Amino acid sequence: MGGVILPGNTIGIFGGGQLGRMIAIAAKRMGYRVVVLDPTPDCPAGQVADDEITAPYTDVAAARDLARRCAVVTAEFENVPAETLEAIEPMVPVRPSSRVLRIAQNRIAEKTFLAEHGFPVPNFRPVRSHEELLRAISEIGCPAVLKTATGGYDGKGQVRIEHPDEAERAWERLGKVDCVLEEFVLLEREVSVIVARNLRGEEVVYPVAENTHANHILDTSVMPARIPPELARRAQELARAIAEALGVVGLLCVEMFVAQDSRLLVNELAPRPHNSGHQTFDAAVTSQFEQLVRAICNLPLGSTELYRPAAIANLLGDLWEGGEPNWAKALELPEVKLHLYGKAEPRPGRKMGHLTATAETPDEALQKVLEARRRLKEQA
Ligand code: ADP
C-alpha cells in the first residue's frame, strides 16, 4: 500500500477547538503524534496534542512551521484561509485540499458546485450587487433567506425575508457583502450524513443522523435517523456522490433538509468532523475522528456500524448560569457519557461539551440523553 502514513508520524491540525481535540484523542490512541495550530494558547485540542503553535490562521510562516513538523495536515473547520493552505501544499499533503475548503467556505461557490453537478439544493441566486438582489427576490419570491456567502455559522449572517420590500434592509443589515438568497423551505426534518474517503478513493458512509436546532445551534442529534429506509438510502447515496464529485480525502458531512413536500435538499457541506457525528465516538465501531485519521493517512477505512442507536445533546455555556452543572446526577444513568472540551469560560451559546446516550432504539436514546441533560440542572 503506497503512500500510507503510519502511526508514529505527526498529524497537524488547523484549529484547536473540540473537533480538533477529538481528532487528537483518536490520533493519539492510534500512536500518532499531533501538533495543533490555533490562535489561542491552551486551546481544547492543544491540551491533548503533543504540541501547539499559537498563531493566527493568516500567519503563513507559522503554517510552514506546522508543515515542516508534520507528515499530513488537516483542518477542523472549513474557514482556515485557503491561501494559508495553498502556501503549504507544496510542502506537505493537506487533506482535505485547499480546493475543497475553498468551495465549502463560500456559499455561492458551494451551491453553484452542487447545482452544476445536478445535486438537489434549495432554489437560490447569488447576490453580489443591487441588481442581483432585485432579480433574486423577484425570481425566488418570499419567504426567503438571505445568507452571507462567507463567515456565517450557527445561523449568524442570515436574515429571513417575508416581503420583497424587506430585501434591501436585510442586505444592508448583512453589510452589503456577497450573499445568496434562497427559498425558505418548509422543513419536515433536518438530517446529515458523514462520508469518509481515503486517497485510494475507498469510501464508507455513516448512518443518517437526525438533527434538531435551538437558536440555529445544533441541540440534539440522533443516529440512526427515524426516517424510512428508502429515504435513508437516498440521503447516504447523495452524500457519497457529493464526496466523490468533490474528490474529498478525509471526511465530508452533508447537511440536508427533508422538505414537507418530501424533497431531499442539500443545505451545507462541511469537509471535516461534524457535531452530528459525535454519537460515533461512543456508539460506532469506528468514530468519525478515527475515520478521519485513517482517511488522511491512507489507511483502510473502518466499519461505520453502530453498536447501538445513540443520541447526543449539546451542552452550551448557558448551562453554567446557576453554577457548575450536576455531572454526577446525569452520570447516574449508566448509559450516558460525558464529553467536556476543556474550555475555561462558559459563555452563553458556546459549545462546552455534549452528552451521549445509547439505547435499544433511537427514541429511547434521545429520551435518555435529554433526561441526563435535565439532571444537570438539579441541585447537588
Ligand atoms: P449556518 O451555516 O449558520 O449553520 P445554515 O445555512 O446551516 O447556517 O442554517 C442554519 C439553520 O437555519 C438550518 O439548520 C435550518 O434550520 C435553518 N435554515 C437555513 N436555511 C434555510 C432555508 N432555506 N429554509 C428553511 N430553513 C433554513
Side-chain angles (χ1 to χ4, degrees):
M1 264 187 319
V4 176
I5 297 165
L6 291 170
N9 279 290
T10 303
I11 296 173
I13 307 172
F14 278 100
Q18 63 268 20
L19 301 175
R21 179 183 178 97
M22 290 183 272
I23 299 167
I25 290 170
K28 294 292 298 175
R29 202 173 68 164
M30 289 179 77
Y32 290 93
R33 293 182 166 273
V34 176
V35 181
V36 169
L37 188 151
D38 188 279
T40 312
D42 195 40
C43 58
Q47 294 165 19
V48 177
D50 294 276
D51 204 359
E52 55 185 322
I53 298 171
T54 305
Y57 300 122
T58 47
D59 185 339
V60 171
R64 290 206 174 105
D65 181 28
L66 179 73
R68 269 189 292 273
R69 294 163 64 175
C70 296
V72 62
V73 169
T74 194
E76 68 147 13
F77 75 128
E78 56 273 27
N79 287 325
V80 177
E83 298 76 26
T84 303
L85 299 176
E86 275 162 15
I88 63 166
E89 270 172 339
M91 302 171 65
V92 68
V94 177
R95 296 175 182 158
S97 67
S98 62
R99 189 187 68 83
V100 171
L101 267 75
R102 224 180 240 292
I103 294 171
Q105 59 193 207
N106 184 302
R107 288 191 209 269
I108 298 176
E110 182 173 280
K111 286 174 194 289
T112 303
F113 171 88
L114 290 166
E116 281 179 359
H117 285 78
F119 298 118
V121 288
N123 258 325
F124 77 97
R125 295 286 183 281
V127 173
R128 288 159 298 204
S129 67
H130 195 70
E131 293 68 42
E132 280 189 334
L133 177 69
L134 294 180
R135 193 166 350 126
I137 197 79
S138 77
E139 288 174 4
I140 300 291
C142 284
V145 191
L146 188 65
K147 300 179 176 179
T148 58
T150 60
Y153 68 99
D154 289 344
K156 294 178 179 64
Q158 53 178 281
V159 183
R160 195 174 147 160
I161 299 174
E162 304 291 343
H163 191 275
D165 293 352
E166 298 164 20
E168 187 72 53
R169 205 163 352 113
W171 197 38
E172 268 165 26
R173 254 178 69 190
L174 296 175
K176 291 196 168 184
V177 294
D178 287 0
C179 285
V180 292
L181 185 78
E182 61 184 53
E183 63 170 310
F184 186 81
V185 181
L186 290 175
L187 300 177
E188 204 254 316
R189 62 183 89 215
E190 295 189 57
V191 298
S192 51
V193 179
I194 297 168
V195 181
R197 222 173 148 266
N198 67 13
L199 196 60
R200 286 167 287 168
E202 292 166 355
E203 291 167 339
V204 290
V205 184
Y206 280 94
V208 181
E210 177 186 341
N211 309 319
T212 65
H213 298 81
N215 301 321
H216 291 283
I217 303 173
L218 187 84
D219 185 45
T220 67
S221 179
V222 182
M223 195 184 276
R226 296 160 295 175
I227 56 174
E230 172 51 28
L231 178 59
R233 264 197 304 278
R234 269 207 291 143
Q236 286 176 307
E237 176 49 30
L238 182 54
R240 202 200 53 69
I242 295 170
E244 201 167 300
L246 266 177
V248 171
V249 177
L251 297 183
L252 180 73
C253 179
V254 181
E255 297 178 20
M256 303 176 202
F257 295 148
V258 181
Q260 286 176 13
D261 57 15
S262 75
R263 285 178 300 165
L264 182 64
L265 302 167
V266 177
N267 174 38
E268 258 196 324
L269 305 179
R272 54 165 170 82
H274 194 264
N275 200 162
S276 66
H278 291 357
Q279 295 88 319
T280 63
F281 212 164
D282 296 302
V285 175
T286 313
S287 76
Q288 61 168 343
F289 307 103
E290 178 179 335
Q291 204 74 268
L292 173 64
V293 171
R294 288 174 176 236
I296 65 175
C297 292
N298 208 23
L299 286 166
L301 301 174
S303 165
T304 56
E305 194 182 332
L306 294 180
Y307 293 119
R308 302 183 88 198
I312 59 137
N314 273 341
L315 308 178
L316 302 185
D318 313 60
L319 256 181
W320 274 251
E321 258 163 26
E324 188 74 11
N326 194 344
W327 307 121
K329 192 73 193 164
L331 293 177
E332 280 174 7
L333 300 168
E335 289 158 312
V336 167
K337 301 282 197 166
L338 173 65
H339 297 255
L340 288 172
Y341 305 146
K343 298 182 185 178
E345 214 188 310
R347 289 191 297 273
R350 189 176 197 203
K351 289 176 182 170
M352 301 296 291
H354 67 269
L355 295 170
T356 309
T358 59
E360 285 300 306
T361 66
D363 278 328
E364 281 172 54
L366 181 59
Q367 276 165 23
K368 202 179 295 180
V369 85
L370 290 174
E371 164 64 12
R373 189 166 65 178
R374 195 191 57 68
R375 287 174 172 227
L376 294 176
K377 292 269 200 187
E378 284 185 18
Q379 297 292 324

